[in-house]
Amino acid sequence: MHTLILGAGPTGLVTAMLLAAEGHRVTVVDQDPGPPADGPHGVWEKWTRPGARQFAAAHVLAPAGYRILRRELPETVSEVLAWGGRRHNMIAGALSLLPDGAAEPGDERFDTVAARRPVLEAALLAAAERTTGITLRRGLRAAELLVGDPSEARGAHVTGVVLDDGEHVAADLVVAASGRSRFAASFLDAVYADAAEGDVPGIRPGGAGRGFRYYTQHFRSGDGNLPGPAPWPLHHHDSVSVIVVPGDNGTWSMTLVTSGADQKLRGLGRRDAWQRAAALYPGLAPWAEGEPIGGVVALGGIHSVRRRLVHPGRPPVTGLVAVGDAWATTNPQFGLGMTLGITHATLLRDVLREAGPGTSRPAELALLFHDMTERHLAPVWAGLAGWEVHRQAEIDADMRGEVHHSGDPAWNQHVAGRSACLRDAGVLRAMAEIGFLLTDSREAMGRPGLMARFARLAVNAPRYVDGPGRRELLTAVGDPA
């Protein structure tokens, strides 16, 4: 079976390696050039990926994604480590700050490997290039689909693509793994009419002023050590969220996240203003004191959208599936994009196993993959998209000097949990299991006595902890013009 994968990002490369291990002949096509051949620092400094505009932004591989790679493709983990990736436990640093935060058996479930996106992707690419059955072709993109018309599908059946150099590439299955790129969006939306949707009130695809804006500064240390125990990776404050994640080769990043509509904080794109603002967060300020790598990376226009590829009740086309961000984009604040893409790749592998070799029943394959996606990934996406609506409303209220109130139990639990997890090790572990997709909330919070402790901590818990108010923040940033 010949599978053609459009996109050589982490999701596309993992999909390729999983399917090649099943005996597929896999061709991966990507519009961007490959990395320079001069190691991780050269990859970071010289590799540009216009097709992945978030390439230089902060990235993290959540423990659930790491667990899949370690189980299914252990050679990829070894490759990332060989490129300077750091073994990292996502909660060890936060636990060390708690009176009851001693390590426990089982905490290894929060392990991952930390690396900046270009380095991680270069390592995955190196592993894929050594994998039998995979052909990688760069500097090309799909310009249009090759389409047939089998009677079973009651519609078009994709039999390959036409590349932008005019070459026709036939395939038994085409997998769109082309991420968030505008080209990918227009390409898929042309195929699936009315497929792009928010599916959660308040989320409108392409809506002006929606989504968040990310201001990331990368740092390095002279001795390869981090500034201290890595904190809980995501903290929410008045008008701003703060993300701190370690990287490869003695690097890390700190990101200040604002509403995309917050014009008064656009000055965070200037390094001096960014530095003044970052210094206002007491527990996180040391992470803004390393040697800066480049300037502030500003990224906006990202919001949660997914595509329904079976509607109503049948696929409009067969022979084409979408995985990862090509299926659904998520809020980068939770660092789950790569993990959801890797999980989606395993679902596709499992569906193709169940369907058997070849694609003699393409509509059945499309429906089965759709059902698996809806069962395992759509609820996660809906939860993240719903959180985005509330966090947008919370920041909007902050900007007006008001407090956002909601009757949504999930949101209220989140607000209580974001301070409770920094005061109780059991709550921290439960929130981490949920946030890193290791288990669901019912199981994580169902341990004896945990909900009672959570409820006690939630009473009169502050909405935000240890951060500046909006007026102080605006003073630090100065005139954004």
Side-chain angles (χ1 to χ4, degrees):
M1 178 172 177
H2 181 216
T3 302
L4 175 63
I5 298 176
L6 307 178
T11 296
L13 292 171
V14 169
T15 303
M17 286 184 275
L18 289 173
L19 295 186
E22 299 290 300
H24 291 235
R25 180 168 59 92
V26 181
T27 300
V28 182
V29 173
D30 194 279
Q31 64 179 333
D32 293 332
D38 52 0
H41 296 299
V43 162
W44 175 257
E45 294 169 0
K46 301 175 185 177
W47 193 13
T48 59
R49 290 270 272 122
R53 62 191 182 94
Q54 74 278 22
F55 197 53
H59 280 77
V60 65
L61 178 63
Y66 171 73
R67 182 167 62 183
I68 292 173
L69 290 185
R70 191 177 57 185
R71 181 184 70 237
E72 302 284 355
L73 299 167
E75 68 278 10
T76 63
V77 174
S78 299
E79 191 70 32
V80 175
L81 292 171
W83 279 73
R86 174 188 293 271
R87 293 189 186 275
H88 175 61
N89 186 283
M90 294 291 290
I91 70 167
L95 280 174
S96 71
L97 302 176
L98 298 176
D100 61 342
E104 293 182 355
D107 281 352
E108 64 275 6
R109 67 191 182 278
F110 302 110
D111 286 349
T112 188
V113 59
R116 292 167 292 179
R117 163 73 183 267
V119 175
L120 176 71
E121 190 168 310
L124 292 174
L125 182 62
E129 287 175 333
R130 294 195 303 267
T131 301
T132 302
I134 296 178
T135 300
L136 287 145
R137 303 183 61 186
R138 305 201 73 110
L140 295 165
R141 71 181 188 183
E144 60 180 290
L145 297 170
L146 295 172
V147 177
D149 187 16
S151 58
E152 183 208 354
R154 295 192 297 159
H157 177 69
V158 175
T159 60
V161 302
V162 181
L163 301 179
D164 55 1
D165 66 354
E167 180 184 357
H168 288 217
V169 181
D172 299 298
L173 179 66
V174 176
V175 180
S178 36
R180 296 177 180 267
S181 70
R182 292 178 181 175
F183 168 76
S186 61
F187 184 80
L188 287 169
D189 292 345
V191 176
Y192 300 103
D194 301 321
E197 58 179 59
D199 206 45
V200 171
I203 297 286
R204 291 182 290 275
R210 305 308 302 168
F212 299 90
R213 192 162 180 84
Y214 300 79
Y215 300 91
T216 299
Q217 179 66 66
H218 293 270
F219 298 92
R220 67 163 60 93
S221 67
D223 60 7
N225 295 319
L226 298 180
W232 186 249
L234 176 61
H235 296 257
H236 300 294
H237 301 277
D238 188 335
S239 303
V240 170
S241 298
V242 184
I243 304 168
V244 176
V245 292
D248 58 278
N249 296 289
T251 65
W252 67 91
S253 65
M254 183 171 175
T255 302
L256 305 181
V257 187
T258 72
S259 167
D262 194 341
Q263 297 297 320
K264 292 185 177 181
L265 290 180
R266 289 293 176 102
L268 289 171
R270 304 191 314 269
R271 192 155 72 84
D272 60 333
W274 187 98
Q275 203 75 37
R276 290 193 300 271
L280 298 176
Y281 300 92
L284 303 173
W287 293 81
E289 296 173 358
E291 176 190 349
I293 306 174
V296 176
V297 178
L299 178 68
I302 293 178
H303 50 270
S304 300
V305 176
R306 71 165 171 157
R307 294 180 175 83
R308 288 191 182 275
L309 307 186
V310 172
H311 182 76
R314 67 181 181 88
V317 298
T318 57
L320 173 68
V321 296
V323 294
D325 283 348
W327 163 70
T329 60
T330 57
N331 186 323
Q333 290 182 59
F334 288 100
L336 295 177
M338 284 193 290
T339 293
L340 289 172
I342 290 168
T343 304
H344 214 184
T346 65
L347 293 179
L348 178 60
R349 186 272 313 274
D350 294 345
V351 165
L352 290 169
R353 275 181 181 172
E354 183 174 337
T359 54
S360 58
R361 304 181 68 182
E364 181 178 308
L365 174 67
L367 290 169
L368 183 58
F369 184 56
H370 170 76
D371 290 345
M372 290 283 280
T373 300
E374 289 295 300
R375 186 184 316 154
H376 294 284
L377 297 186
V380 176
W381 180 88
L384 296 177
W387 178 93
E388 180 173 333
V389 172
H390 284 293
R391 180 58 179 156
Q392 284 275 344
E394 185 174 49
I395 293 179
D396 288 348
D398 290 341
M399 293 165 63
R400 298 190 302 269
E402 301 172 0
V403 175
H404 171 60
H405 296 285
S406 170
D408 182 352
W411 170 253
N412 291 328
Q413 180 172 312
H414 163 77
V415 172
R418 68 193 187 192
S419 61
C421 73
L422 301 179
R423 299 157 64 194
D424 183 284
V427 174
L428 175 71
R429 288 185 173 91
M431 298 296 287
E433 288 180 343
I434 298 166
F436 300 141
L437 304 184
L438 295 171
T439 188
D440 60 28
S441 59
R442 179 176 298 181
E443 180 177 345
M445 299 300 294
R447 295 182 176 88
L450 186 61
M451 277 303 300
R453 299 209 311 272
F454 182 91
R456 285 196 300 271
L457 291 168
V459 173
N460 298 322
R463 193 163 56 97
Y464 299 130
V465 180
D466 293 335
R470 182 167 176 83
R471 185 181 297 277
E472 185 180 2
L473 184 64
L474 292 176
T475 299
V477 172
D479 183 1

